[in-house]
Amino acid sequence: MTPAGASAATAAVEFSEVGFSYRPRRGGQVEAVAGLSFSAPAGSTTAIVGPNGCGKTTLLRLACGVIAPDSGAVTAQPAALMPQSDLLLPWAGALDNAALALRAAGVDSATARRSAAEWFPRLGLEGFEKARPHELSGGMRQRVAFARTVLSGRPVLALDEPFASLDSLSRIKAREWLRSAIAESGRTALLVTHDIEEAIAVAERVVVLSPRPARVVAVHRTPGGEPGSAEAVTLRREILENLLEEAE
């Protein structure tokens, strides 16, 4: 296990004693995050795992500036959120969907399409530029959504369970392209996932959260290499033990 933070000089995202509560319309208050601190080093991928409803998505929303903490501070470079649903426009082709972030930023159509087209061979989408979302597999749709997120130009990618809707085999294949695509993009990534193996396979660091209200239980460095290596299996057991201990 490693220390919970990276130095402020190298952190792309830093949570410092962050607290946040939701206030449902019917009254009351739900404490989602309490006294949470950790940093995501620039240029790396940090996975966030924890039980259902513990506040993982809340952390991504805080990092993206969608919501502000009630206490503590979140310091982050500009971040783009990739939600669980791909949110592709059903009437537009894959290339136009990928180029949407650039078009929203005021880039002309031809330039946006050229920039998006550069990512299609990298993501195994070459030849599917004109395909509508219903003509693409779930994994291909997620690749288009990832390209759209990268093309936002923001230095931090906040990925909220991007493979939750995929079957097990598709998820395994998706891990392979995601890790290489993040590395090629040169961005910092925050990956929320329920899949411990996925976290180990894709990220350099895994942050383990407690049940709500979320706090950091442990931060682990991943061994790299094959997901089925002895080191990866050992780390998976340690993370699972972290989660089970907190659930008691």
Side-chain angles (χ1 to χ4, degrees):
M1 189 173 77
T2 63
S7 68
T10 61
V13 181
E14 184 160 13
F15 296 88
S16 301
E17 294 296 322
V18 171
F20 179 82
S21 296
Y22 287 101
R23 295 164 182 80
R25 291 182 179 179
R26 294 184 178 181
Q29 182 169 294
V30 178
E31 189 176 21
V33 180
L36 181 141
S37 298
F38 76 89
S39 298
S44 69
T45 300
T46 298
I48 302 170
V49 299
N52 285 335
C54 74
K56 297 185 295 295
T57 297
T58 298
L59 295 187
L60 295 188
R61 298 181 70 205
L62 286 163
C64 291
V66 176
I67 55 178
D70 296 328
S71 60
V74 180
T75 304
Q77 297 174 358
L81 178 64
M82 178 179 170
Q84 292 182 26
S85 174
D86 57 65
L87 300 179
L88 300 185
L89 302 178
W91 59 85
L95 188 63
D96 286 322
N97 267 294
L100 188 61
L102 290 172
R103 295 288 291 124
V107 177
D108 66 87
S109 178
T111 301
R113 287 168 62 88
R114 281 196 299 271
S115 296
E118 294 176 2
W119 274 93
F120 273 57
R122 304 178 194 178
L123 296 175
L125 292 169
E126 195 169 20
F128 291 90
E129 289 83 357
K130 296 182 179 180
R132 301 288 176 86
H134 73 274
E135 298 172 312
L136 301 173
S137 68
M140 295 173 77
R141 290 171 63 109
Q142 290 303 91
R143 295 183 215 181
V144 174
F146 179 81
R148 180 187 60 203
T149 307
V150 170
L151 288 163
S152 69
R154 296 184 178 182
V156 177
L157 309 176
L159 313 176
D160 189 3
E161 295 196 69
F163 308 135
S165 63
L166 303 185
D167 60 72
S168 298
L169 180 58
S170 296
R171 289 182 74 122
I172 292 172
K173 293 180 178 179
R175 296 173 195 165
E176 299 171 0
W177 67 256
L178 181 62
R179 180 157 191 163
S180 60
I182 292 173
E184 189 170 353
S185 74
R187 312 296 172 81
T188 302
L190 287 176
L191 170 67
V192 160
T193 178
H194 282 96
D195 190 326
I196 298 174
E197 291 183 0
E198 183 173 282
I200 295 171
V202 175
E204 285 83 34
R205 298 163 77 247
V206 180
V207 176
V208 184
L209 301 183
S210 69
R212 187 177 67 232
R215 58 181 178 80
V216 175
V217 174
V219 180
H220 299 272
R221 290 193 182 280
T222 60
E226 293 298 321
S229 68
E231 294 86 353
V233 171
T234 298
L235 178 56
R236 181 183 183 279
R237 183 171 60 249
E238 290 177 0
I239 293 173
L240 186 58
E241 288 173 354
N242 292 154
L243 294 170
L244 290 174
E245 288 171 2
E246 290 298 317
E248 293 178 354

